[in-house]
Amino acid sequence: MKKLKSILAYLWELIPGTKGVLGLAIIFCFIVIAIFGSYIAPYEKNYIAFEAWLSPSFTHWLGTDSYGQDILSQMIYGTQTSLLVAIVAGSITTCIGVLVGIVAGYKGGWIGEGLMRIVDLFLIIPTLALMIILASFLPSMGVTNTILIIGLLSWLYMARSIRSQTMSERESGYVEAARMAGMGDLEIMFREIMPNIIPVILANLVLVTTQAVLAEAGLSFLGLGDPSAVSWGTILSLAHANNAVLFNAWWWILPPGLAIACLCFGFILVGNGILDRFQANRGNAAL
Amino acid sequence: MVNLLEINNLCIDYDSPRGKVKAVHNVSFTIKKGEIFGLVGESGCGKSTTAFGISRLLRPPAQISAGSITLNGQELTHLSEAEFDKLRWSHISIVLQSAMNNLNPVIKIQEQLIDAILAHKAMSAEEAINHAKYLLRLVDINEERLANFPHELSGGMRQRVVIAMALALQPDLIIMDEPTTALDVVVQNGIIHKILELQKDFGFSILFITHDLPLMLEICDRIGVMYAGELVEVTKREDLMEQARHPYTQGLLESFPPLKGEKRRLKGISGHPPDLVTPPDGCSFHPRCPYAMLQCKQKEPEKLHDNKGIIACHLYQEGGHRFEQLQTTSEGTK
Amino acid sequence: MGLNAGYILKRVGFALVTLYVAITVNFLLPRLMGGDIADTIASEMALGSPEVAAALREQFGLDNTNLFYQYKQYLVQLFQGNMGVSYVNYPAPVTEVMLSALPWTLGTVLIATILSYGIGWMIGIKGAWKSGSLFDNISLFVSFFLNSVPYFWIGIIMIMIFSFHLDLFPLGKAIPHDFDSLSFMGKITTIIHHAALPVISMIIASLAGHILVLRNNLIRVLSEDYMLLAKAKGLSNRRRKYTYGARNALLPSFTGLMITLGHVIGGALTMEIVFSYPGVGLVTFNAILNHDFPLIQGAFLFIAISVIIANLIADLMYPIIDPRVALQ
């Protein structure tokens, strides 16, 4: 318990300034909505017996769609899926990215060089194209598959960033000392180096999480999402497929896009705050 | 000799999250025409900041908060940005610390040499190029190098190019901030000799900044010692070689091997330079000073001017242990 | 700064290896997913003609279960430009469908990328030069926001405002129905009129990345000694900002530009769906909806090849802009 408290205190140290706090507040709001979604949502999930194309009113704050579903309720249930995909896929990406990055950066030699060459190769091929070909050949698309596809294909850029950070850490005194003390490579990599690059890892985690949100939306929009699940991406995809623009149903188009934007904005603010705080080298990262 | 540069009570501060940092505090000295004046001290003592203050290159939030700087009798601190730009390079030029980063890596040597000239003088491109060739010859570099990019030159050559560039408009004062630190010893010697040779030919003054006191003793006419943003001693080279007066200067001298004479054990100065946000009361050197007395902790020592220079230490104030030493030397020369 | 043969060879070699990897991924992935590969490439049902299906199966070595034989046949067919037959566009071969879609995508993506890069460059530099200023903070926050928004959503919003409400641009498509009857100038005007909104949307969507990268780069460059020296030399603001600073800030972002190009193409795929723009994205979308597997594979390969070539061009241009690279 005490340890947990000190970890929490450390994390709080990492998140600095107004920007970071604002970002955290945004993310926190979405998490609350996701957790208590079924209590907050005014109507049941996928209930389709309302009148179609209703504009916003007191009974339907965000109106209804062409199927007669309450959009606010759909949005709230969609938060669960979108957040789940973002966090789980983001975590998978981070694990692989950190693993590959630290090993490639610490080991150097043919292992490090080889790993990075492979990363460079795949970095050129657009990730979305890879996701499309993987997703379309899968027998079925569920939320799990979406998470796996996004999580397994997005770590390349992150691995590069972690690698360069590890390479500069490798030269510092404490690593040398650990080596002298007879620590094994694994221990040095994950006990000594990793804790020292936590800010960079966190900033990257935040960035890949936003990318996961956007990738989920993109895949859903392309018709590669889980057709039975509700997410912000599928809501937008349905809106477009049912010509919401031509019905001037802005209440069907604006909320999902704004929700995606707000969540990602929150994550980016937190990441930017962490980088500001540690004056970390941004490389070419757009943060 | 006439004074070229006069600095009076210069203060440079900047705001940090922890409070106001007094990077340079009440610094006064003069540089005469044709003189090489050295500023020495540990890193962070304010010597480079002083130089940047003179050449108006301070990066915000650092700024001059008080004091005056006059060059040829003209007050510089009151000048507008545009007026100061006219003085840049034609009156004050600068050679910066690391040889590698003085030159823009993606612009050819020629362009970097002549843009300084063209920014201040009406000259045809052809004349400017000829002048650039002449400048390279001055520092013994083949004029074909004009067509090269900086990375195609060795470190020593690059620094000579920068020195040639500093001479482009025959300025009155060249500020050299550790111009040879990044170079190896042999190259360093060559460059120092080149600088001395050029200085003799052209007669400009140099403000030479380094932490390398022995090097300074070799080349400078007068030397100023800075500690924690303050100028604690100014002395002629000969006097300093004979006897350093301020305990800090003595400590600095003892941390380098002597130029001549027998070898001895090197001694550093124990402790660390003080925090410039909350400097110690009294003399800022007192926590590290082997001679520290009660008054050193209470009262800031005055800066005493005598014929040897400036000394700010309680040992030499009225009533101090070495006050008499100061008296006799002053009287002896009067 | 003569172009160094070793460098060119290395870059071309890297492009070829990447291409090979992309081709192999395209061969392996569908097989790894465990579907009936013979059916995905030569489905009798989809093609509606058993003879065509049988011929395709033979061409691609699908009558043989040996994976290496299939791989060999696949490569042979690919080199002849044969990627199979599209179900949806039967009997049109995949290559033909893709080749007619590619120019629309490349045209809009390239124009959008160049413009977005230029605009992002100007804004990023203006912000970095006076970092901490109001302009800088606003551009920073707007960039963060734009980076958080899906491409296609920006497209939908643009259509809603400029096509539906203001009626300034067509609702979609690349050319009108009566295209063939138009004069030459009329054709060009209408193409630009149709492409304008998708291109503007892509610029807005990709702008933020460029702004942020260039801003960060310039801030780093501004702390270099040569920038201080340039100031000491009394060079004009303009010269320091552009010749000394902006150019150096641009260089490291140039390789990044190519990674963004991959992003932009990814974004363009969804953008085309929004605008019913007949490029690779729309073709892919229709292929996905109709389970037209040969076409999906073809689309992947065409996207990969385009990006690899664009990358190679950028790599080969790089030494011309940055003299340091040629020597390494």
Side-chain angles (χ1 to χ4, degrees):
Chain A
M1 194 61 212
K2 205 170 182 186
K3 192 162 184 197
L4 184 76
K5 214 171 175 182
S6 72
I7 289 175
L8 281 179
Y10 174 65
L11 286 179
W12 182 247
E13 276 270 287
L14 287 174
I15 316 287
T18 340
K19 272 192 287 188
V21 172
L22 181 65
L24 271 187
I26 294 174
I27 297 169
F28 183 72
C29 286
F30 280 109
I31 290 177
V32 169
I33 293 175
I35 292 177
F36 299 103
S38 21
Y39 303 102
I40 305 172
Y43 303 101
E44 266 170 59
K45 194 172 180 178
N46 295 333
Y47 183 79
I48 53 168
F50 301 113
E51 200 178 325
W53 299 116
L54 286 177
S55 53
S57 65
F58 281 110
T59 38
H60 300 286
W61 287 11
L62 293 178
T64 60
D65 62 16
S66 65
Y67 304 95
Q69 302 185 94
D70 177 66
I71 292 176
L72 179 62
S73 306
Q74 295 296 100
M75 282 294 300
I76 290 172
Y77 292 114
T79 310
Q80 295 175 339
T81 319
S82 292
L83 213 56
L84 182 77
V85 172
I87 290 172
V88 180
S91 309
I92 295 176
T93 304
T94 306
C95 289
I96 305 177
V98 168
L99 194 71
V100 174
I102 291 188
V103 170
Y106 180 75
K107 283 283 190 185
W110 66 269
I111 297 182
E113 278 296 308
L115 274 175
M116 274 308 115
R117 277 292 142 86
I118 295 172
V119 166
D120 281 347
L121 278 179
F122 280 93
L123 210 49
I124 292 180
I125 305 168
T127 318
L128 190 65
L130 271 173
M131 287 179 185
I132 289 173
I133 191 157
L134 247 173
S136 45
F137 280 92
L138 276 175
S140 71
M141 272 309 276
V143 174
T144 322
N145 282 346
T146 309
I147 290 175
L148 284 178
I149 286 178
I150 295 173
L152 295 177
L153 290 179
S154 320
W155 52 270
L156 299 159
Y157 199 81
M158 177 167 188
R160 265 182 141 236
S161 151
I162 300 285
R163 171 181 176 253
S164 65
Q165 198 68 30
T166 307
M167 282 171 81
S168 60
E169 290 293 318
R170 192 176 59 179
E171 308 304 325
S172 48
Y174 71 90
V175 173
E176 190 62 31
R179 217 178 280 143
M180 300 268 210
M183 272 193 182
D185 280 355
L186 271 181
E187 217 175 339
I188 295 180
M189 281 190 272
F190 297 101
R191 278 263 178 83
E192 297 290 323
I193 294 180
M194 199 167 81
N196 278 289
I197 55 172
I198 288 284
V200 182
I201 293 178
L202 275 181
N204 270 291
L205 169 73
V206 162
L207 199 60
V208 294
T209 310
T210 53
Q211 277 160 5
V213 176
L214 294 173
E216 189 274 331
L219 283 178
S220 301
F221 194 70
L222 282 162
L224 290 170
D226 179 354
S228 64
V230 186
S231 76
W232 298 334
T234 55
I235 296 175
L236 262 182
S237 157
L238 286 179
H240 179 256
N242 291 287
N243 290 321
V245 169
L246 298 182
F247 286 89
N248 198 15
W250 51 268
W251 59 87
W252 196 2
I253 294 165
L254 287 180
L258 283 177
I260 293 171
C262 282
L263 180 62
C264 294
F265 190 63
F267 277 119
I268 288 179
L269 282 184
V270 171
N272 185 268
I274 295 172
L275 285 185
D276 266 359
R277 162 89 178 226
F278 289 88
Q279 310 257 304
N281 184 1
R282 279 148 206 251
N284 261 337
L287 258 180
Chain B
M1 277 194 284
V2 192
N3 283 343
L4 171 72
L5 183 78
E6 283 179 24
I7 294 175
N8 278 310
N9 297 321
L10 183 69
C11 294
I12 298 173
D13 306 330
Y14 58 89
D15 290 319
S16 80
R18 292 172 45 244
K20 190 177 252 184
V21 179
K22 294 177 179 171
V24 172
H25 189 58
N26 270 338
V27 165
S28 308
F29 63 90
T30 57
I31 298 179
K32 299 186 176 73
K33 281 211 164 108
E35 184 185 36
I36 305 184
F37 185 90
L39 265 187
V40 72
E42 292 162 299
S43 60
C45 70
K47 51 193 197 301
S48 296
T49 312
T50 307
F52 287 157
I54 296 168
S55 50
R56 218 184 259 196
L57 292 174
L58 293 171
R59 292 183 206 267
Q63 56 168 4
I64 295 178
S65 56
S68 86
I69 304 167
T70 57
L71 185 78
N72 287 324
Q74 184 185 18
E75 176 62 49
L76 299 188
T77 49
H78 298 154
L79 293 182
S80 71
E81 235 8 83
E83 286 166 332
F84 197 87
D85 274 348
K86 285 186 193 134
L87 289 183
R88 290 185 193 279
W89 224 248
S90 54
H91 288 84
I92 305 175
S93 64
I94 188 163
V95 175
L96 287 171
Q97 209 155 29
S98 112
M100 314 303 248
N101 302 329
N102 266 316
L103 296 168
N104 188 316
V106 297
I107 301 178
K108 284 185 181 163
I109 303 288
Q110 169 173 318
E111 209 186 324
Q112 299 197 51
L113 272 171
I114 66 173
D115 67 1
I117 304 170
L118 294 178
H120 297 278
K121 272 195 179 161
M123 217 188 243
S124 72
E126 200 185 338
E127 282 173 306
I129 290 171
N130 281 332
H131 191 60
K133 286 179 181 166
Y134 159 76
L135 290 171
L136 280 197
R137 279 199 302 274
L138 279 182
V139 293
D140 305 326
I141 292 178
N142 192 321
E143 58 186 46
E144 283 167 22
R145 292 292 188 174
L146 280 179
N148 282 138
F149 286 99
H151 64 90
E152 294 168 312
L153 272 56
S154 71
M157 278 171 113
R158 259 182 289 202
Q159 200 62 336
R160 273 185 286 159
V161 168
V162 176
I163 290 165
M165 200 193 289
L167 290 172
L169 298 164
Q170 304 222 1
D172 307 317
L173 175 69
I174 302 183
I175 296 172
M176 297 190 173
D177 187 3
E178 311 241 9
T180 55
T181 322
L183 304 168
D184 66 65
V185 183
V186 179
V187 179
Q188 194 174 338
N189 275 333
I191 290 198
I192 293 291
H193 283 118
K194 192 82 228 173
I195 292 174
L196 292 177
E197 186 191 317
L198 292 166
Q199 195 268 339
K200 227 170 251 150
D201 292 350
F202 292 95
F204 48 84
S205 308
I206 300 178
L207 173 57
F208 197 95
I209 295 169
T210 183
H211 59 268
D212 185 351
L213 191 52
L215 171 68
M216 198 155 262
L217 286 173
E218 254 183 277
I219 63 167
C220 294
D221 299 317
R222 280 190 309 138
I223 291 162
V225 181
M226 285 192 77
Y227 182 78
E230 289 178 62
L231 193 63
V232 294
E233 175 168 11
V234 177
T235 328
K236 286 187 203 125
R237 169 177 54 173
E238 307 83 56
D239 293 337
L240 190 61
M241 282 166 97
E242 211 171 279
Q243 175 63 54
R245 293 198 284 180
H246 197 282
Y248 175 65
T249 320
Q250 291 167 1
L252 269 187
L253 272 174
E254 280 168 7
S255 56
F256 289 99
L259 291 171
K260 340 182 180 123
E262 63 207 87
K263 288 188 178 145
R264 53 168 172 73
R265 275 183 75 103
L266 296 183
K267 282 189 281 184
I269 308 166
S270 61
H272 296 283
D275 179 357
L276 293 177
V277 178
T278 50
D281 288 336
C283 170
S284 50
F285 187 60
H286 85 256
R288 301 169 77 187
C289 182
Y291 309 108
M293 307 169 288
L294 184 64
Q295 54 179 330
C296 298
K297 295 175 189 167
Q298 296 166 338
K299 201 171 140 234
E300 224 175 293
E302 275 173 54
K303 293 187 171 63
L304 295 179
H305 294 248
D306 66 350
N307 67 319
K308 279 189 169 177
I310 303 172
I311 176 80
C313 176
H314 282 297
L315 289 173
Y316 298 89
Q317 316 263 311
E318 205 164 334
H321 291 88
R322 299 189 190 158
F323 176 62
E324 280 175 21
Q325 188 187 335
L326 188 72
Q327 291 293 22
T328 50
T329 50
S330 303
E331 275 162 18
T333 47
K334 267 176 192 168
Chain C
M1 87 201 84
L3 274 187
N4 157 325
Y7 175 82
I8 297 178
L9 227 60
K10 224 166 120 188
R11 294 333 296 173
V12 173
F14 184 73
L16 287 177
V17 174
T18 318
L19 188 62
Y20 173 75
V21 168
I23 290 172
T24 307
V25 163
N26 200 24
F27 170 82
L28 277 180
L29 269 188
R31 284 164 173 83
L32 286 177
M33 293 295 117
D36 179 2
I37 202 65
D39 202 49
T40 59
I41 292 181
S43 160
E44 283 173 26
M45 271 253 283
L47 294 172
S49 154
E51 292 79 30
V52 177
L56 273 175
R57 259 188 225 124
E58 201 191 323
Q59 277 177 355
F60 283 90
L62 296 172
D63 36 10
N64 191 322
T65 49
N66 185 335
L67 207 60
F68 286 102
Y69 179 74
Q70 289 187 7
Y71 189 43
K72 199 196 95 198
Q73 285 306 109
Y74 166 78
L75 289 179
V76 168
Q77 292 304 321
L78 197 63
F79 271 101
Q80 295 169 359
N82 184 1
M83 297 184 181
V85 175
S86 161
Y87 304 165
V88 183
N89 305 281
Y90 181 79
V94 168
T95 324
E96 198 184 301
V97 177
M98 291 313 304
L99 279 179
S100 68
L102 197 63
W104 296 113
T105 303
L106 285 189
T108 47
V109 166
L110 279 182
I111 291 172
T113 306
I114 291 169
L115 288 178
S116 159
Y117 196 62
I119 299 169
W121 185 70
M122 288 193 295
I123 298 177
I125 280 171
K126 191 164 183 219
W129 191 253
K130 293 236 161 80
S131 71
S133 66
L134 186 67
F135 177 86
D136 184 40
N137 277 318
I138 292 175
S139 85
L140 214 55
F141 268 80
V142 171
S143 302
F144 288 162
F145 186 77
L146 287 181
N147 249 357
S148 313
V149 173
Y151 271 61
F152 56 89
W153 189 66
I154 292 182
I156 297 177
I157 300 289
M158 295 295 278
I159 289 193
M160 209 159 83
I161 299 173
F162 293 101
S163 302
F164 185 75
H165 283 293
L166 300 178
D167 204 15
L168 292 175
F169 295 98
L171 276 164
K173 304 251 178 353
I175 45 174
H177 296 296
D178 55 350
F179 184 70
D180 289 329
S181 64
L182 293 171
S183 67
F184 179 69
M185 280 315 288
K187 281 178 179 170
I188 292 191
T189 328
T190 188
I191 285 178
I192 294 176
H193 192 211
H194 280 78
L197 213 49
V199 168
I200 293 171
S201 307
M202 270 190 263
I203 292 175
I204 294 176
S206 60
L207 194 58
H210 297 310
I211 293 178
L212 293 171
V213 167
L214 280 157
R215 178 182 177 276
N216 289 346
N217 284 349
L218 185 58
I219 284 181
R220 199 164 46 209
V221 167
L222 287 181
S223 70
E224 296 280 353
D225 276 354
Y226 57 75
M227 291 306 296
L228 206 61
L229 203 70
K231 181 163 188 191
K233 276 156 88 173
L235 302 183
S236 66
N237 252 345
R238 202 187 149 77
R239 184 164 176 86
R240 283 190 292 130
K241 193 164 166 184
Y242 294 104
T243 317
Y244 274 70
R247 202 167 139 204
N248 295 50
L250 190 78
L251 293 175
S253 71
F254 199 68
T255 40
L257 173 67
M258 288 304 120
I259 294 170
T260 359
L261 190 65
H263 261 114
V264 177
I265 288 200
L269 297 185
T270 55
M271 201 68 99
E272 283 174 5
I273 299 167
V274 172
F275 287 95
S276 313
Y277 205 74
V280 177
L282 195 64
V283 169
T284 311
F285 182 56
N286 288 326
I288 293 171
L289 286 186
N290 296 296
H291 301 280
D292 188 346
F293 294 108
L295 197 53
I296 295 174
Q297 280 189 288
F300 172 79
L301 218 49
F302 265 85
I303 294 168
I305 293 171
S306 318
V307 178
I308 291 168
I309 291 176
N311 243 304
L312 182 61
I313 293 172
D315 277 344
L316 295 183
M317 270 164 58
Y318 197 39
I320 299 170
I321 314 177
D322 188 344
R324 286 166 296 182
V325 178
L327 273 202
Q328 282 159 9

